Amino acid sequence: MTIPGLVTRWDIHFKTYFYLMVFIWALVTLILVYFGFKYRRRTADGEGRGGAGNLFLEILWTLIPLLIVLFLGIQTWALFRDFRRVPQDAYEIRVEGYMWGWNMTYPNGQRTRNEMRIPAGRPVRVYLTSQDVLHALYIPAFRIQEEAIPGRTTYLWFQANEPGEYDIFCTEFCGSGHSLMRGKIIAMEPAAFEQWSGKQAQPAEGPTGAPPHEKGKQLVSDSGCLNCHTLTGEKGIGPSFKNLMGKKESLEDGTTILVDDAYVKESILAPKTRVVKGYPPAMPSYQFSDQEIHAITEYFETLK
Ligand code: CUA
């Protein structure tokens, strides 16, 4: 199983195409300029001699490009095949794109948002889908990209040879939050990864003794809420969290509501039910427990 080295092979492949194209472009341009000069019209009524055809040249300029294109085609096919052929022992993660973020689900059921933890030195297979519209998962460090399509599951695979952080981008325009749809891959030493996934599998209770608003703050920053909501009072894709609790908001239908615990809960679990005027009904549902929602409202109370 030839696994690592795909990135290097991809780069060599890209450079082969690139330099070959530059070479052919330069060659054709030089000949064009030279002939333009050499066979220019010399007198006002000058006429050129017609060409008689040349079988040798015809064969030559058919055969050479054919060989080049065949060579590139076979190389491309071989590389593509290896990019699509997932190794047997791959670690599997399910990734779901939504407006605007990524949900990761691990084999033991644990979840993260916008952060994909993986063991370094092991192939990883991603099963990819979308909750709403077309997105595309792009991981430049591994030279891979795949479409996230609602109602369909696609896949890609890669391997991080070294522990470290790698960027994730969405590369399919998916609305006003498209540019915010970033994430990180965190490749960990296998032992550290084992420990992390063991810990995460425990029921998600906050650190014992921590006040609820601390836990709420953690939830809000870990869940990607701040991609769309600010803490400063500025308008984001959604309303700011600053001074939110106790505020009167106008709705699209002209009525007003008071932002209380019940409205926050509804807006987290079923965000499209009552949307504040002037904002798109863009937020996906977040399945937090009552305890977690309580922690979040406690946190909002501190943002005055
Ligand atoms: Cu999701 Cu662009």
Side-chain angles (χ1 to χ4, degrees):
M1 243 178 294
T2 55
I3 302 319
L6 267 187
V7 167
T8 315
R9 280 176 60 201
W10 195 96
D11 288 350
I12 292 172
H13 197 67
F14 178 82
K15 284 177 188 154
T16 307
Y17 267 74
F18 182 75
Y19 290 119
L20 196 65
M21 272 181 338
V22 170
F23 174 73
I24 292 172
W25 172 81
L27 187 70
V28 170
T29 307
L30 275 176
I31 293 173
L32 183 79
V33 170
Y34 171 67
F35 281 0
F37 178 74
K38 186 173 182 204
Y39 298 110
R40 69 191 184 280
R41 178 184 273 196
R42 284 159 204 267
T43 57
D45 57 352
E47 264 179 42
R49 272 180 292 129
N54 184 320
L55 185 63
F56 174 70
L57 278 180
E58 294 277 0
I59 291 174
L60 201 66
W61 68 46
T62 305
L63 211 59
I64 291 176
L66 181 71
L67 290 178
I68 292 175
V69 169
L70 271 180
F71 169 77
L72 290 177
I74 290 167
Q75 299 287 313
T76 305
W77 172 77
L79 190 58
F80 178 76
R81 185 196 53 183
D82 290 346
F83 265 97
R84 299 307 293 165
R85 193 185 271 168
V86 186
Q88 289 294 320
D89 60 336
Y91 183 76
E92 292 181 351
I93 298 180
R94 289 175 185 277
V95 175
E96 184 188 54
Y98 65 91
M99 295 157 88
W100 290 278
W102 305 98
N103 284 322
M104 325 290 179
T105 308
Y106 299 84
N108 63 2
Q110 76 193 71
R111 288 161 156 269
T112 57
R113 209 182 279 276
N114 295 335
E115 187 184 279
M116 191 194 294
R117 300 238 171 199
I118 56 158
R122 186 173 165 190
V124 173
R125 177 185 187 129
V126 171
Y127 286 103
L128 186 63
T129 190
S130 166
Q131 200 180 89
D132 35 44
V133 299
L134 289 175
H135 303 276
L137 183 74
Y138 176 40
I139 313 170
F142 306 119
R143 313 290 189 267
I144 46 169
Q145 186 220 37
E146 186 56 73
E147 298 293 303
I149 305 167
R152 201 189 287 184
T153 302
T154 52
Y155 75 91
L156 53 76
W157 81 271
F158 62 93
Q159 176 171 326
N161 294 327
E162 302 292 332
E165 292 193 9
Y166 307 91
D167 290 320
I168 292 175
F169 296 103
C170 176
T171 45
E172 182 86 55
F173 182 67
C174 54
S176 55
H178 166 66
S179 63
L180 302 168
M181 227 176 131
R182 287 168 305 205
K184 278 241 174 298
I185 289 176
I186 301 176
M188 306 169 79
E189 294 285 0
F193 180 76
E194 283 297 320
Q195 205 189 7
W196 173 80
S197 53
K199 208 181 284 167
Q200 288 290 308
Q202 307 295 323
E205 291 302 318
T208 41
H213 69 264
E214 287 289 331
K215 198 182 151 196
K217 184 178 182 180
Q218 194 70 41
L219 274 169
V220 164
S221 68
D222 287 354
S223 308
C225 310
L226 302 178
N227 284 347
C228 298
H229 302 273
T230 72
L231 299 175
T232 58
E234 254 173 282
K235 198 175 161 174
I237 289 159
S240 177
F241 289 152
K242 184 156 190 195
N243 296 324
L244 183 65
M245 300 306 292
K247 195 175 173 185
K248 285 237 167 48
E249 293 273 29
S250 309
L251 301 181
E252 212 52 70
D253 64 5
T255 58
T256 58
I257 45 111
L258 179 74
V259 180
D260 55 7
D261 289 17
Y263 181 66
V264 170
K265 181 176 176 179
E266 177 190 278
S267 298
I268 291 173
L269 296 175
K272 293 179 176 72
T273 319
R274 288 187 290 172
V275 179
V276 174
K277 190 170 183 170
Y279 294 95
M283 182 167 150
S285 163
Y286 287 76
Q287 296 305 314
F288 289 135
S289 68
D290 283 357
Q291 198 195 5
E292 287 169 325
I293 292 170
H294 175 68
I296 290 169
T297 53
E298 287 291 310
Y299 170 54
F300 286 171
E301 291 286 357
T302 69
L303 300 172
K304 299 263 179 180

